[in-house]
Structures are given as C-alpha cells and as structure tokens.
Amino acid sequence: MADQTQMDPARLAASQPVANVTDWRRIISGFTLVMLAAIVLFLLDAPWDSVSTFRISRPRDTWAVGNLVVPSQLINTLAAIILAFLGTRLFLRGGGRWTGLSLGVGLIILAMAFLVWATAGKAISLTGMLQATVVRAVPIALAALGGILCERVAVINIAIEGMLLAGAFAGALFGSLMGGWAGIICAMLTGGVFGLLLAVLVITYRVDQIIAGVVINLFVLGLTSYVSSQVFAEFRWLNKATPFRAFKIPVLGDIPLIGPVLFNQNLFVYGALIMVTLSTYYLFYTRMGLRARAVGEHPRAADTLGIDVIKTRYAHVIAAGMVAGFGGAWFTLGSVGRFDENMTFGRGFIGLAAMIFGRWHPLGALAAALVFGFADSLQQKLSILNTPIPSEFLSMAPYIATIVVVAGLVGRARPPAAIGKAYTKD
Amino acid sequence: MNIELRGISKRFGSVQANRNISLDIRASEVLGLLGENGAGKSTLMNVLSGLYQPDSGDILIDGTPVRFDGPGDSIAAGIGMVHQHFMLVPVFSVVENVILGVEPTGSADFLDLAAARDQVQAINARYGMDVPSDVLIEDLPVGIQQRVEILKVLFRSADVLILDEPTAVLTPQEVEAFFGIVRALRDAGKAIVFITHKLHEIIEIADKVSVLRQGEIVGGGVPSEFSEADLAEMMVGRPVSFSVGRGTATPGEDVLDLRDVTLVDASLEVRLHQIAMSVRAGEIVGIAGVQGNGQTELVEAITGLAPVASGQVMFAGTDITASSVRQRHCMGIAHIPEDRQKSGMVSAFTVAENMVLNSYYDDSVARGVQIDWHRAEEQAAAACLKFDVRTPSVFLDAGGLSGGNQQKMVVARELERGVRLVVASQPTRGVDVGSIEFIHKQLVACRDAGNAVLIISSELDEILDLSDRIYVMYEGQITAEFDNSSSQADRGAIGLAMAGANRTAAA
Ligand SMILES: Nc1ncnc2c1ncn2[C@@H]1O[C@H](COP(=O)(O)OP(=O)(O)OP(=O)(O)O)[C@@H](O)[C@H]1O
Ligand SMILES: [Mg+2]
C-alpha cells in the first residue's frame, strides 16, 4: 500500500502547487555567474606582477592601519574561479533560496574584482570610496523611505521627486535666512505641505495618484526653477546657506575603516540611519505599524475593525513628505549650501526604484540605496583612475547595477494589495 | 445586551436595500435572518456594525439610542460582525489578523505578539477551533479562514455577534462544530444574528427567525412552527422545489478521463495520489468529500491551474496534460471556481466586463483587437436576465452586487458559453433557495444537452440530488465510487467513505 498522505489544515496551508516547474531564475542566474567569471578572467586581467593598493587610514589617524596591498591578477583569478563555481553549482543542483544568495555574493565579488583590476599598479582610498557610497546613498534612501511610508498605506507617491526638490529649495532659502537648523525644519515642513497637498488630492478628491504626483513634480520644478533663476540670481545672499559639516562621534569615529564611513559624517547620514531604523521598528513591530500595513493591504478589513483608513493615509503621506523634505535638504544643506535648478536630478525616482528592490522594507531600501551609492562612487573613483573604459559607460554603472539586482536578487516582490486605489465606503 | 433596530432605511443609488426595517435582537437568543439574494441582509447588518450609516431609523442598545459613526463605535459598544466576504488581510498571519484593531502592546507601542498568540490559542482551545497562529491567511483554506473570522470577534469579547453566512463555506462536520460554538455563546448570554440560505440550519439553531424580501421584513416567528417549504415560500414569494426532477442519464463517450494523476505541491507533499476517474458525456459526476481532501487540487489539475507530477489528463480523447489553461478553456472546459471573489471575478470591474472575462478574445465579442462593448453589454444583460442576477445595471461594479448575485454572475458567465465539460466547484455557495433550484436546473440541462458535468460540493445533499455517479475523495485519493443514477446511493456508506473508512481498500 502506498503511504498515506496526511492532510491536516496547517500542512495544507503550504500547498501551492508549483512543483516540477523549470526554475528559470536559477538557470539564468547560474548562466550570468558563469559569464561574469569569464569576464573577470579574460577582460579584467592585469600583469601578474602588478599589485593593487587600497588605502585605509590617513597618516594622522588615531589608530592608523597599513594599506591593503593585494596581487591583482591572483585575486582576480581566484574571483573568477569562485564565480564559476557558484554559477555551475546553480546549474547542477539547488536553487531556491541559494539563487539569490549566490547571485548576491557573485555581484560583490565582481565589484571587488573590478576595483582590483582598475587599481592594478595604482592606489585608491578604500575608506574614501565607502564614505562617498554612504553619502550618496542618503538622498536615495530617504526618498525610498518616503515612498515606503506612502505605499505601505497604498498611496503611490510619484511626487517624491518634487518633494525632494522642494526640500532642497526650502533648505537653501531658509538655511540662508535663519541658519542650518531652521533650514532643515523648514525643508521638512515644506515637504509635509506637499504631502498634505498630495493627500488632499488623492485621498479626499480621489484624483488618479500617478497624475497627482506628476502634477506636483511639475509644479515644484517650475516654481523652484523660476525663483532660482529670477530671484536667487539677483539676491545671492538668499541662496548661500552654510552646509552642515561632518562631526566625528568620539571613539567610534576612530575605528579604522568603519569609523570614517559610519561615524564621521554629517547630520543627514545620521538622520537617515535613525529614520530607517525607527521606521523599521514602527512598521513591523508596533501596533500603529500593523494598522498602517493593514490599511495598505485591505483597507475595508481595517475599516471594519475600527481603523480610520482616511486618517491613517493622511498621516503617512504627510510624514512621507517630511522625510522627503529632509532628504531634499541634503542636496543643499548637506553638501554645497546652494540651490540649483532641478538639482535632485531624478534621485527621487531612483529612490522609488530602491523602494521596490528593497521590497517595501526600510532596511531593504537602505541596502538598495547603498548599491546605487556604491555604483555611483565607483564610477567617480574610476574616472579619476583613468581606466580604459569610457566615462559614459562608467556613469551607467548605477543603472546597470539596478537591472542586475532587480532581475536576479529581488525575485517575487509584491506591493501592498490596495496600492493606487482610493478608498470609499460604499 | 438587547438591541432594537427601529425603521432602518438604506439606499444605494437606485436600489432601496433596506426599507423601514425594525428588528429585535436579544441576549441569549439566536436570531435567524433569511432572505433571497440581494434582499438586504448584509446591508442591514453593516448598518448595525457601523460600516454604513442608515438614511433613516435608529439603533437602540438596551433602550438607549446610539449612533455609530464607524465600525470602531460599534465594536466599542460590544457588537462584532463576521462578514460574508472575509475581512482578512491575506499577507498577515492569523494572530496579526485576529488582534488587528485591539492589539496587546508593551511599551513604545511594541506589538506583544507573544501575548497575543497565547490569548488566541486560549480561545482556540476553548472552542476546539484548531487554527494555527502563525500561518499566513492566504495559505489557509477557506474553511479555516472562516474560523479566523470567528476568532476575531471572540477576541474582542463582543456581546452581540453578527454572523453573515458563516456556514456557506463550512463542511457539514464543521457546521456541527460551529453550531456547538454558537450554542455555547448563546448560553453565555450573547445575542447572535445568524444569516444563512440553508433553511434546515435556521430550524436547527435559531430561536427566532425574520424573513426579508426586497429590503422589507415580510414575516417571521419561531422557526419550529415553520417547515422548510414555508420559509422558502416566504422568502422567494412562490413555492420552491428542493430537488430537481432529473431524468435518467444517457452517458456517452468519456469526455474527461484522468489516468493515475498525481499532484505534488511546492513543498513536495503529495496532494493527489494516482487519481483515476472519468466523466462521460451526458452525465453528472459528483465529488463528495470533506473539504481539504484534494478537491481543490483536483480542479486545478483538470483546469490546468497546476501542473501534475505524473499521470495523464485526457479530454475527449486528446491528452491535455501539458495544455495551458487557455487551451483547455478554448477546447470547452468551463470552470466555476470555489472562491468567487478570489478567482471568479474582478470586483472593480463592471458586471458587463466580468461577463466577458472568458470570451473577450473570441468572435462573440471581439472585433479584431477591439472589444465590441455594445454587444458585450447586450449579452451580459441577457445573461443577467436569464440567470436572475439582480443588478440595476450591467454598468455597475460587480463588487456592489450581493454575494449570491455575484455567484450567479459567475455561473452565468461560465454556462452561457458553449462548453463540453463544466467543472463546478461549490456552484451554489451563498445562493438563495430559489436560485439554487435554478442553477441546478441549468446544470441538468447542460447534461441533457450531452455535456459532461463535474460537481465538487461540500453539501452532500447537492451531490446526491444532482449526480449520476459519485466519487468520494479522502486524503488525496478516490476511495469509493457510487452509482446514483436510478436509485439514490446509500448516504451512510458515502458518509463513512468521506470519513476515511475505505482508504485501505482503494490504495
Ligand atoms: N456597496 C454597495 N453599492 C451599491 N449597491 C449595493 C452595495 N451593497 C449592496 N448593494 C445592493 O443592495 C442590495 C442588497 O444587498 P445585500 O448585500 O444587503 O444583500 P443580501 O441580502 O446580503 O444578499 P446575499 O444573500 O446575496 O448576500 C442589492 O441589490 C445590492 O446590489
Ligand atoms: Mg449578503
């Protein structure tokens, strides 16, 4: 007699019949890894006697560490072997959760190999590069966080870009008039006001969410461009804020490598890390977070349980605006102190991409933002290092990273179920 | 706690869903609410649960008028409602759904899931509900989801429980267990409103009954004073026959033939084990079995929604094991899914749009790459009329239809197309007695036209009434086969097989 299958409710739970379906993701990932191995082996080759030098500390640091010097070709040959091994392994067996992991590890190895190759016979500051990575990730992570707060309650926020720009503008203007802190507060308030505007449009008046977002973006772009070209050009003192300097956190800031990267940065970096942590706690570990997510997934169910869908959505969209406003202030108060026309340059949209790659999770979005930031700073360093790759290709790096990450690592990402839909009672 | 509804009226656009309704709901009493599809039962209860505000009329709790501006107010007043269509967040776990809105928290608003889990398990144990705490709702079968809904209300320790068609998705065994819970709650002094389309349930459990028709109360009293036929007539306004006059079948060739079909799920557990069965032209075959014994997977294997691990699915002599859902569909397989809201319709589409979901690409409504909406709407209107789908217009969102009317819309869509095999899973779930009669007649007519019909139902009565042949499923296998064509099969023997008595014999 064939053995009997037990079917208790809890076990039935897991029944989603997808067995013996070809796992294309696994196969494609395996193939990609093998290709990458070939690229590393044949394209990224350096003379056997060359070494790559990575500087970690500066001579004046408290705890100075020596430079990291590695034999270029040996490292890259090893990298190619590991990539090939990971790829073949995916072909032969496994898959499932190994697919994403292998691809992730593979990409890190690739980035490493690339760096080693580019620095062969030269030297770069590893610390400086990672520091730049974090700095560049900040506006993207904050934009993503703004997106997450909105989308978790099912409001699409295309207006993030406009909110960043408005925050940058308000930061420069009020920072010039009343000092940096006032600038930040005003940037957040301005972001909040645009959040409120979006909320009124899409929640109360049920305007299409994409259209409302685009309208806000165009409005902010037009307004800030006008003011900066007509007013700021005339009265320069209105656009001359003192940016926030980096401040070192005692002791922690002296740790080699990690210190400068994480604990010797400006207010925006700390702010972003705190906001990401807080919102992770809020969304997934608190009562209000649970309610917010319910509103995004099944607003009617939330309503029948006495949760005020409309209020929840308003609160989150406004909060998202404030987060984006803070992120916008990074462009002015966090770097040069001056506002330029359209200076956010699509970072809000990249932030939305990071939100999706991060699966609507603040930590995921931060990780995605760091990938963008790394690609961004890599590109910058490499153009200094004089590699044979044309700079146009280098500036594609962040976007190529995006595509690879989405295709391979993200897998099944699912937005909140009620996304984009206005809520009506009857 | 006693509740009085006084002269409640509620209108949606042109539909007067409730008209001057008065009702008494008393502590320690089960009030049964009957009425045909669209009579306004759910609307009335949504008014009581604060989801809708009445156009006129009052709600009195123990004599004092109250005003509910939202469900929060009514929950606070001790009223809990289990909705006809589940109000569960699919991607949340059972505990998260149960506590939503009344979450136990620690400091800093921290969700105390551990405490919640304990409380949920305590209720679970008290009523023998056996619901896992940490499984996601979307991974649970409907029967268990229903229990989660009940858990939700009990977790809020409501004094008044409104149960809108709670038994529609339960198996007869589950219904018995559920009635045990209802009696316990009544004896604990709770007031219960119980809505159902199953008249025998009213007679069994209700202390009082009220009947609604077209938004008005048309009668009521003590259920034991009525027969099922009386109640049915009061509801529908005409006598209803409970069993279809089904002539003898004249079966022809095999239309559907499963050859040792085995189906394995993602976690490599066997869901269907070497199923061998057939459905012939001009024959209705019923699948009896307690829900969760592989019926869902059987339907998926036949309709192509899930790939089979081994074995063959033959349709009219061709091997369709590897055919896509669309190919099978075009060959003439119609599918009435068990969960209409999940896989039968798009709530945000209009009735007309829903009606062409299975034919938007073929000649009946498509002109090249365009859909001829004029024709689609005409067809939809005709089908609505034929199947008695009560909607003021086919341009309204299907989500606004009453539950039973949504079901009839899905049935109409599937049967109106030329088909050779109908796979009907719970075809009359949530449908009133009058419409059950009609749907059953349609299925028999489908058979008499020479088509094959496969019915999967947790209602043994429905299976016995319609089928010419009956298979019993138990733990993913077919464990027994009964002939039901000339004389009715032995109910007791089927019941035993459903409980697993035959399993060794069949394997
Ligand atoms: N949200 C809504 N928008 C528009 N019309 C609605 C809405 N809800 C209900 N209706 C209409 O009100 C009437 C009563 O619907 P209701 O859901 O109360 O019926 P019901 O008695 O519960 O029926 P069933 O037994 O089929 O569930 C129906 O004609 C329905 O189409
Ligand atoms: Mg109803």
Side-chain angles (χ1 to χ4, degrees):
Chain A
M1 195 197 89
D3 59 338
Q4 291 291 328
T5 1
Q6 280 288 322
M7 295 211 178
D8 63 282
R11 298 262 290 296
L12 256 184
S15 67
Q16 268 186 4
V18 287
N20 78 351
V21 180
T22 318
D23 188 355
W24 281 107
R25 213 175 125 230
R26 173 172 68 93
I27 303 213
I28 293 173
S29 301
F31 182 74
T32 311
L33 284 173
V34 173
M35 287 307 291
L36 290 181
I39 289 177
V40 169
L41 197 60
F42 298 114
L43 293 183
L44 303 184
D45 64 341
W48 275 101
D49 55 357
S50 68
V51 292
S52 306
T53 308
F54 296 97
R55 284 194 304 271
I56 291 177
S57 303
R58 276 169 305 181
R60 285 181 293 106
D61 283 352
T62 323
W63 297 310
V65 194
N67 291 342
L68 180 69
V69 183
V70 295
S72 321
Q73 183 63 356
L74 179 68
I75 287 286
N76 276 7
T77 312
L78 281 178
I81 291 172
I82 298 176
L83 284 172
F85 169 76
L86 288 175
T88 333
R89 199 176 160 284
L90 276 189
F91 265 128
L92 295 184
R93 67 192 165 98
R97 61 205 175 83
W98 290 106
T99 309
L101 196 65
S102 305
L103 203 63
V105 171
L107 286 177
I108 293 172
I109 292 175
L110 176 73
M112 203 189 71
F114 197 72
L115 258 179
V116 167
W117 167 75
T119 7
K122 301 171 199 146
I124 61 164
S125 161
L126 186 62
T127 310
M129 216 180 100
L130 292 182
Q131 214 170 9
T133 298
V134 172
V135 169
R136 277 151 195 277
V138 164
I140 298 172
L142 288 169
L145 195 56
I148 290 171
L149 288 176
C150 276
E151 299 215 345
R152 279 289 178 177
V153 294
V155 175
I156 299 176
N157 194 349
I158 295 288
I160 281 286
E161 174 72 12
M163 292 173 179
L164 279 187
L165 197 58
F169 177 85
L173 177 62
F174 293 103
S176 308
L177 289 174
M178 300 182 284
W181 286 100
I184 287 192
I185 291 172
C186 290
M188 291 181 75
L189 289 179
T190 308
V193 166
F194 281 103
L196 177 65
L197 176 63
L198 179 69
V200 171
L201 289 177
V202 305
I203 302 171
T204 304
Y205 292 105
R206 296 178 215 139
V207 176
D208 181 276
Q209 298 183 352
I210 305 277
I211 293 176
V214 170
V215 167
I216 290 179
N217 285 342
L218 292 177
F219 173 73
V220 174
L221 180 61
L223 188 72
T224 56
S225 301
Y226 173 81
V227 176
S228 80
S229 66
Q230 300 299 312
V231 183
F232 286 179
E234 189 89 355
F235 307 97
R236 288 177 190 281
W237 53 275
L238 283 177
N239 193 10
K240 222 171 150 193
T242 323
F244 282 86
R245 300 260 157 264
F247 63 90
K248 184 151 78 176
I249 294 179
V251 189
L252 289 178
D254 288 327
I255 304 171
L257 196 62
I258 297 174
V261 172
L262 287 183
F263 303 112
N264 188 6
Q265 296 274 24
N266 69 19
L267 180 79
F268 290 92
V269 174
Y270 301 131
L273 293 176
I274 292 172
M275 284 186 186
V276 165
T277 316
L278 282 183
S279 47
T280 304
Y281 175 74
Y282 167 76
L283 280 173
F284 301 102
Y285 297 95
T286 70
R287 179 176 55 144
M288 295 314 289
L290 184 76
R291 293 183 178 184
R293 285 186 290 135
V295 164
E297 292 289 346
H298 197 329
R300 197 173 174 80
D303 194 2
T304 59
L305 296 172
I307 296 166
D308 192 326
V309 175
I310 305 292
K311 259 192 210 154
T312 309
R313 288 192 173 169
Y314 260 91
H316 283 78
V317 175
I318 293 171
M322 297 178 74
V323 171
F326 178 72
W330 175 90
F331 290 91
T332 47
L333 295 174
S335 55
V336 287
R338 193 189 66 239
F339 181 83
D340 291 319
E341 214 171 287
N342 193 20
M343 73 187 303
T344 51
F345 231 76
R347 289 297 206 296
F349 297 122
I350 296 196
L352 290 180
M355 165 189 79
I356 296 172
F357 311 151
R359 301 186 183 207
W360 289 266
H361 193 297
L363 291 178
L366 177 65
L370 285 170
V371 172
F372 290 118
F374 180 75
D376 212 0
S377 74
L378 187 70
Q379 160 236 324
Q380 190 199 24
K381 286 279 165 197
L382 291 183
S383 49
I384 298 170
L385 280 178
N386 243 333
T387 49
I389 304 177
S391 65
E392 286 79 6
F393 279 98
L394 286 177
S395 38
M396 282 187 214
Y399 309 101
I400 293 177
T402 314
I403 294 171
V404 176
V405 170
V406 187
L409 289 182
V410 174
R412 194 174 75 130
R414 192 163 55 169
I419 197 128
K421 286 181 233 147
Y423 182 67
T424 45
K425 278 208 158 172
D426 32 51
Chain B
M1 194 162 107
N2 299 320
I3 291 185
E4 279 175 74
L5 298 178
R6 288 285 164 262
I8 301 283
S9 294
K10 176 75 186 173
R11 165 184 283 276
F12 293 107
S14 62
V15 183
Q16 186 74 47
N18 290 159
R19 197 191 311 264
N20 196 19
I21 294 186
S22 297
L23 208 62
D24 276 346
I25 302 165
R26 295 186 187 288
S28 305
E29 217 172 68
V30 178
L31 170 67
L33 210 49
L34 280 176
E36 50 183 346
N37 296 129
K41 305 177 296 293
S42 298
T43 306
L44 184 66
M45 291 303 118
N46 280 326
V47 166
L48 179 53
S49 70
L51 199 59
Y52 296 152
Q53 276 66 50
D55 299 335
S56 63
D58 301 301
I59 302 172
L60 287 78
I61 296 185
D62 292 331
T64 5
V66 288
R67 205 188 125 81
F68 296 150
D69 287 323
D73 295 347
S74 117
I75 292 171
I79 299 172
M81 175 155 177
V82 173
H83 290 264
Q84 177 172 13
H85 298 119
F86 298 150
M87 293 294 172
L88 298 170
V89 181
V91 296
F92 279 12
S93 70
V94 170
V95 201
E96 287 173 329
N97 268 287
V98 170
I99 63 174
L100 191 61
V102 286
E103 307 84 349
T105 46
S107 55
D109 207 39
F110 182 76
L111 263 187
D112 196 347
L113 278 183
R117 214 170 275 131
D118 289 346
Q119 291 178 44
V120 170
Q121 283 313 330
I123 304 177
N124 237 332
R126 185 153 77 238
Y127 298 105
M129 288 210 261
D130 196 25
V131 180
S133 305
D134 292 304
V135 180
L136 297 190
I137 294 295
E138 62 183 355
D139 293 333
L140 287 171
V142 272
I144 309 284
Q145 291 185 15
Q146 174 68 69
R147 294 189 202 176
V148 179
E149 283 284 18
I150 296 167
L151 268 179
K152 254 164 77 176
V153 177
L154 294 177
F155 189 80
R156 284 161 179 71
S157 44
D159 288 321
V160 179
L161 282 86
I162 303 166
L163 309 170
D164 194 353
E165 295 191 34
T167 54
V169 293
L170 301 186
T171 63
Q173 291 78 357
E174 288 173 321
V175 169
E176 273 319 305
F178 172 75
F179 280 175
I181 300 171
V182 172
R183 288 195 189 96
L185 289 167
R186 178 188 58 194
D187 296 344
K190 314 233 174 210
I192 292 155
V193 182
F194 174 61
I195 300 177
T196 183
H197 288 293
K198 297 171 192 167
L199 305 172
H200 63 91
E201 291 181 354
I202 290 284
I203 292 172
E204 183 179 343
I205 191 91
D207 302 305
K208 268 189 339 195
V209 60
S210 290
V211 181
L212 260 72
R213 194 189 326 145
Q214 288 172 8
E216 285 176 289
I217 299 267
V218 291
V222 179
S224 52
E225 290 170 6
F226 297 98
S227 68
E228 287 190 32
D230 298 337
L231 288 172
E233 190 169 344
M234 209 191 301
M235 264 171 72
V236 184
R238 62 173 168 85
V240 178
S241 86
F242 290 103
S243 97
V244 276
R246 178 167 57 90
T248 359
T250 44
E253 302 275 283
D254 278 356
V255 172
L256 178 74
D257 183 14
L258 298 191
R259 300 184 181 163
D260 292 336
V261 168
T262 295
L263 188 145
V264 180
D265 70 10
S267 49
L268 297 180
E269 276 190 62
V270 178
R271 294 288 171 214
L272 294 179
H273 184 73
Q274 302 203 331
I275 298 279
M277 59 166 281
S278 65
V279 186
R280 290 171 292 179
E283 177 188 50
I284 299 183
V285 171
I287 304 280
V290 176
Q291 213 167 22
N293 276 284
Q295 294 95 325
T296 308
E297 289 80 2
L298 178 68
V299 171
E300 286 174 340
I302 297 171
T303 53
L305 290 167
V308 303
S310 67
Q312 284 171 304
V313 182
M314 307 289 292
F315 179 72
T318 20
D319 186 346
I320 59 163
T321 317
S323 305
S324 69
V325 175
R326 168 70 71 85
Q327 282 165 344
R328 297 183 199 211
H329 182 86
C330 291
M331 291 169 91
I333 300 182
H335 176 206
I336 300 171
E338 62 174 344
D339 185 343
R340 57 175 171 261
Q341 291 222 322
K342 194 165 133 205
S343 37
M345 56 182 273
V346 183
S347 301
F349 279 15
T350 65
V351 173
E353 286 166 336
N354 269 290
M355 283 293 207
V356 297
L357 282 182
N358 64 348
S359 58
Y360 63 90
Y361 50 83
D362 72 22
D363 292 341
S364 63
V365 286
R367 259 191 334 217
V369 295
Q370 286 190 58
I371 292 177
D372 182 348
W373 282 113
H374 192 66
R375 220 152 91 198
E377 279 144 15
E378 270 173 11
Q379 286 178 16
C384 284
L385 203 65
K386 181 172 171 197
F387 283 80
D388 191 29
V389 179
R390 303 220 180 140
T391 171
S393 141
V394 293
F395 303 109
L396 290 184
D397 281 359
L401 295 186
S402 80
N405 281 307
Q406 293 174 0
Q407 181 73 20
K408 287 190 271 180
M409 175 185 77
V410 174
V411 173
R413 180 185 69 214
E414 294 302 321
L415 296 187
E416 275 300 270
R417 201 169 57 97
V419 294
R420 297 171 71 186
L421 168 68
V422 180
V423 180
S425 204
Q426 319 292 353
T428 56
R429 177 172 279 175
V431 170
D432 69 43
V433 278
S435 305
I436 289 178
E437 181 189 7
F438 178 79
I439 291 176
H440 283 178
K441 278 189 182 145
Q442 290 299 315
L443 290 171
V444 171
C446 200
R447 172 197 85 166
D448 291 341
N451 299 309
V453 179
L454 180 67
I455 293 177
I456 297 92
S457 175
S458 50
E459 295 286 316
L460 190 50
D461 287 327
E462 181 165 46
I463 298 277
L464 282 168
D465 194 27
L466 286 173
S467 317
D468 302 311
R469 222 150 37 87
I470 298 172
Y471 290 110
V472 178
M473 279 191 85
Y474 184 76
E475 292 193 343
Q477 304 186 358
I478 289 195
T479 52
E481 183 181 343
F482 295 89
D483 180 32
N484 194 43
S485 54
S486 40
S487 62
Q488 214 180 52
D490 181 354
R491 214 190 156 90
I494 295 181
L496 276 177
M498 283 169 62
N502 298 42
R503 69 178 187 180
T504 38

